[in-house]
Structure formats: C-alpha cells, structure tokens
Amino acid sequence: MNDGIAPAADAPPARVLGPFRELGELKRIRSAAQEGSIAERLFAAAWGALMAGQDVGAVMRATTAAALAATRLGDIDRGILSAIGVEGDEAQAIIDRAVDEAAEELPPAALEGLRGAPVLAPGTAPPFVAKLARQPRAGVTCPGKPRLLLEPPENHAEHCLVTAVYGVILSPFYGARADAVFLASLAHHLHNALIPDSGFAGEVLLGEHLEPAFVRATEIALAELPSALADRVREARAILPDAETPEGRAFHAADTLDRVLQIEQHLRAGKATMHYVLHDMELVHAGPVRGFQDRLLAGVGLLA
C-alpha cells in the first residue's frame, strides 16, 4: 500500500541537513555596510550577473561558492578582504578554505567547480528582484485554519536563492542538469513580484483564477529580461510542474527542504536552553577574562 511516504531513493543522505540548515541561516545574516540579508543580496547579484550576460553555469558556481563560504565567513567577502588588504591568491585561499569546511558533509560531486569559482559579474538586477525582496512569504497557511506566522518572515528573494543553492547541491544525487535547476529555482516565484503571497489558503480561494493569474504575473516579470534570457528562463521553468524528471525532482526536493527547514529554524531556536548556549555553544568562550565571566554568571544565577 502506498502511504504517501516517498521511498528512500527519492531522498538525499540525511547528512545534507546540517549544511542546508547553515545555508538557510544566510536569510538572517546581515552586516552594517549592507542592506538586506546575505541571501537577499546573492539573489540580486545572481540576477545582475545574468543581466550582464554572464553564463548561467558561471553564475551558478559563483553563487553556490559564495553561499557556502558565507556560512563560515558571514559577510566577509572579496570586497571586505580587499578593503583590509587581503587580495589575489591569499583572498582566494581563504574563500576556498571556507567552502571546503562548509561542504565537508556534502557529496563531492556537488562541489565540482566551486573551488576557485568565478566571481559574479557586476550588473543591474531587473526590477522584479527588489519587489521579491520586499515581498514576505506567507508563513504556514491551510484552508479553514488560522495562519501560523513566525517573525521575522523570510522574503521571496531569500527563499529563491536558498532553493537555488540547495538545488545545485542536490542535482548530482538526482542526475539532474544543475544549471537548469539553478535557473528555475531563481525564477520559480516571479509571479510574487506582483501578487502578494497568501499561501495555500489564499490560492485555494482563488480557484480557477489562480493559474491564469500566475501565468500573467510571471510574463510581466519576464518582460523585464532581455529576450534571450527570458526564453532561457521559460525553458528552465518547464521543470516546475512535476517531479517526473531528474530536474523536477532536484527542484522540488530543494524547494520542499527549504520550506520545512525555514519553519524548523524558528522551532529549533525556541527549544534552545541556556545550558546549551553557554556550554555547547560557548557563548562566553575561552579568553583572559573567562574566569571572571564564569564567576559573574554563577553569582547572579545564570550559569546553568
């Protein structure tokens, strides 16, 4: 009997969840000199590079490498390294070490071409990119039930970027063309540049109007792209409707894992204990004043 649970062959090794959780945190990492999260800015940079004519495969490798490196370096990227006097081979070595460390639990085939990956070509992102960055995700909705909204919500730029990176990593497992999965993932919510996200509940209420509305809104966004790039995006988006192809499976695996891990992040943070934060994560870590700090926390009753 089919109970709706996918066979094991449909799922990648469970060890990918650790790196995927870290990549998901790029939606929440920010820095003083930049607007928006790392994920949001990588989404804009990827579209800018595509608009500038950079090859999809090069954009895919540059974006994936930058995302993996950021799980270790945060917002210390090539620009910051250059500003502090670290350039050329030295900067590349730091980024490569970060990629290698972040990818220790990932299948080796997923990392091909990421060490020494090209940088993203500078370019101006199409207008829909900023709209997707301003468009919050709906949260958890279900017809007939109240919405579960966890703050702060992610935005559609962040979701599309993380899905795209997951998709690249998962593509070898499913035997999929990674560049098609990457581009389809970047473009799978183009309709939300115009249509606010009402979630599953709102989509059900739109009924027969749903698909025509999504198609029209998607075409409005695609009109912002050069015709050749728009055609390439349409071709890539052909994998979206089902999971019958390797590319469809890689995309839907990436999309599903990001949606679920996004909610898990909120639930996991809510379950964290002070003992875990202080002892396992070493919030107060080794250093010349560690003894004083521990006595202080014990004295006020915070050293669990």
Side-chain angles (χ1 to χ4, degrees), residues 84-238:
I84 60 176
V86 181
E87 301 188 84
D89 291 344
E90 290 183 327
Q92 187 63 55
I94 291 170
I95 292 169
D96 284 345
R97 285 200 301 272
V99 171
D100 289 344
E101 185 177 318
E104 284 179 355
E105 296 299 316
L106 297 177
L111 309 176
E112 190 172 330
L114 296 188
R115 293 186 100 257
V119 296
L120 288 165
T124 301
F128 65 71
V129 166
K131 294 175 184 175
L132 289 172
R134 293 195 300 268
Q135 189 72 265
R137 299 270 288 160
V140 182
T141 73
C142 185
K145 297 180 181 178
R147 183 188 304 253
L148 175 61
L149 188 60
L150 300 170
E151 294 286 345
E154 62 180 327
N155 63 51
H156 280 78
E158 293 166 334
H159 166 64
C160 288
L161 184 283
V162 174
T163 299
V165 173
Y166 285 3
V168 172
I169 294 168
L170 293 173
S171 285
F173 176 81
Y174 292 103
R177 293 173 294 120
D179 56 347
V181 177
F182 175 78
L183 190 54
S185 299
L186 285 183
H188 78 287
H189 274 284
L190 290 182
H191 56 276
N192 287 118
L194 174 64
I195 303 173
D197 188 357
S198 60
F200 180 36
E203 291 176 0
V204 169
L205 288 172
L206 283 173
E208 64 183 16
H209 302 290
L210 177 68
E211 286 306 318
F214 279 16
V215 168
R216 176 168 173 73
T218 297
E219 285 300 320
I220 290 172
L222 287 171
E224 299 174 4
L225 302 177
S227 59
L229 179 56
D231 287 343
R232 183 77 186 269
V233 172
R234 288 188 187 93
E235 179 184 356
R237 282 175 51 91

